[in-house]
Coordinates of all heavy atoms in Angstrom, one line a residue:
W88 N -25.0 -0.5 -9.3 CA -25.0 0.0 -10.6 C -26.2 0.9 -10.9 O -26.2 1.9 -11.5 CB -25.0 -1.2 -11.6 CG -25.0 -0.8 -13.0 CD1 -23.9 -0.5 -13.8 CD2 -26.1 -0.6 -13.9 NE1 -24.3 -0.1 -15.1 CE2 -25.6 -0.2 -15.2 CE3 -27.5 -0.7 -13.7 CZ2 -26.5 0.1 -16.2 CZ3 -28.3 -0.5 -14.8 CH2 -27.8 -0.1 -16.0
W89 N -27.4 0.4 -10.4 CA -28.6 1.2 -10.6 C -28.5 2.5 -9.8 O -29.0 3.6 -10.4 CB -29.8 0.4 -10.0 CG -30.3 -0.7 -11.0 CD1 -30.0 -2.0 -10.9 CD2 -31.1 -0.5 -12.1 NE1 -30.6 -2.7 -11.9 CE2 -31.3 -1.8 -12.7 CE3 -31.6 0.6 -12.8 CZ2 -32.0 -2.0 -13.9 CZ3 -32.4 0.4 -14.0 CH2 -32.5 -0.9 -14.5
Y90 N -28.0 2.5 -8.6 CA -27.9 3.8 -7.9 C -27.0 4.8 -8.6 O -27.3 6.0 -8.7 CB -27.4 3.5 -6.5 CG -28.4 3.0 -5.5 CD1 -28.2 1.7 -4.9 CD2 -29.5 3.7 -5.2 CE1 -29.1 1.2 -4.0 CE2 -30.5 3.2 -4.3 CZ -30.3 2.0 -3.7 OH -31.2 1.5 -2.9
L91 N -25.9 4.3 -9.2 CA -25.0 5.2 -9.9 C -25.7 5.7 -11.2 O -25.4 6.8 -11.6 CB -23.7 4.4 -10.2 CG -22.8 4.1 -9.0 CD1 -21.5 3.4 -9.4 CD2 -22.5 5.3 -8.2
Q92 N -26.5 4.8 -11.8 CA -27.2 5.3 -13.0 C -28.2 6.4 -12.7 O -28.2 7.4 -13.4 CB -28.0 4.1 -13.6 CG -27.1 3.1 -14.3 CD -26.5 3.6 -15.5 OE1 -27.1 4.0 -16.5 NE2 -25.2 3.6 -15.5
V93 N -28.9 6.3 -11.6 CA -29.8 7.4 -11.1 C -29.0 8.6 -10.8 O -29.4 9.7 -11.2 CB -30.6 6.9 -9.9 CG1 -31.5 8.1 -9.4 CG2 -31.5 5.7 -10.3
A94 N -27.9 8.5 -10.1 CA -27.1 9.6 -9.7 C -26.5 10.3 -11.0 O -26.4 11.6 -11.0 CB -25.9 9.2 -8.9
E95 N -26.2 9.6 -12.0 CA -25.6 10.2 -13.2 C -26.7 10.7 -14.2 O -26.5 11.9 -14.7 CB -24.8 9.1 -14.0 CG -24.2 9.6 -15.3 CD -23.4 8.6 -16.0 OE1 -23.4 7.4 -15.5 OE2 -22.8 8.9 -17.1
K96 N -27.8 10.0 -14.4 CA -28.7 10.3 -15.4 C -30.1 10.7 -14.9 O -30.9 11.2 -15.7 CB -28.9 9.1 -16.4 CG -27.6 8.7 -17.0 CD -27.8 7.4 -17.8 CE -26.5 6.9 -18.4 NZ -26.6 5.6 -19.1
G97 N -30.4 10.5 -13.6 CA -31.7 10.8 -13.1 C -32.6 9.7 -13.5 O -32.2 8.6 -13.9
Y98 N -33.9 10.0 -13.4 CA -35.0 9.0 -13.7 C -35.5 9.2 -15.1 O -35.5 10.2 -15.7 CB -36.1 9.1 -12.7 CG -35.7 8.7 -11.3 CD1 -35.7 9.6 -10.2 CD2 -35.4 7.4 -11.0 CE1 -35.4 9.2 -8.9 CE2 -35.1 7.0 -9.7 CZ -35.1 7.9 -8.7 OH -34.8 7.5 -7.4
D99 N -36.1 8.1 -15.6 CA -36.8 8.1 -16.9 C -38.2 7.4 -16.7 O -38.3 6.3 -17.1 CB -36.0 7.5 -17.9 CG -36.7 7.5 -19.3 OD1 -37.5 8.4 -19.5 OD2 -36.3 6.7 -20.2
P100 N -39.1 8.1 -16.0 CA -40.3 7.4 -15.6 C -41.4 7.3 -16.7 O -42.5 7.8 -16.6 CB -40.9 8.2 -14.5 CG -40.4 9.6 -14.8 CD -39.1 9.4 -15.5
S118 N -35.3 2.3 -13.4 CA -34.5 2.9 -12.3 C -35.4 3.5 -11.2 O -35.0 3.7 -10.1 CB -33.5 3.9 -12.7 OG -34.1 5.0 -13.4
P126 N -29.1 8.1 -4.2 CA -28.5 8.6 -5.4 C -28.4 10.1 -5.5 O -27.5 10.7 -6.1 CB -29.3 8.0 -6.5 CG -30.6 7.6 -5.9 CD -30.3 7.3 -4.5
R130 N -24.9 12.3 -6.1 CA -24.7 13.3 -7.1 C -24.3 14.6 -6.4 O -23.3 15.3 -6.9 CB -26.1 13.6 -7.9 CG -26.0 14.6 -8.9 CD -25.1 14.3 -10.1 NE -25.1 15.2 -11.1 CZ -25.9 15.1 -12.2 NH1 -26.7 14.1 -12.3 NH2 -25.8 16.0 -13.1
L140 N -18.6 9.6 -9.1 CA -19.8 9.0 -8.5 C -19.6 7.8 -7.6 O -20.2 7.7 -6.5 CB -20.8 8.7 -9.6 CG -21.4 9.9 -10.4 CD1 -22.3 9.4 -11.5 CD2 -22.1 10.9 -9.5

Side-chain angles (χ1 to χ4, degrees):
W88 181 87
W89 282 102
Y90 282 122
L91 294 180
Q92 288 293 300
V93 176
E95 180 183 1
K96 303 175 182 178
Y98 291 114
D99 183 20
S118 60
R130 180 64 175 267
L140 295 176

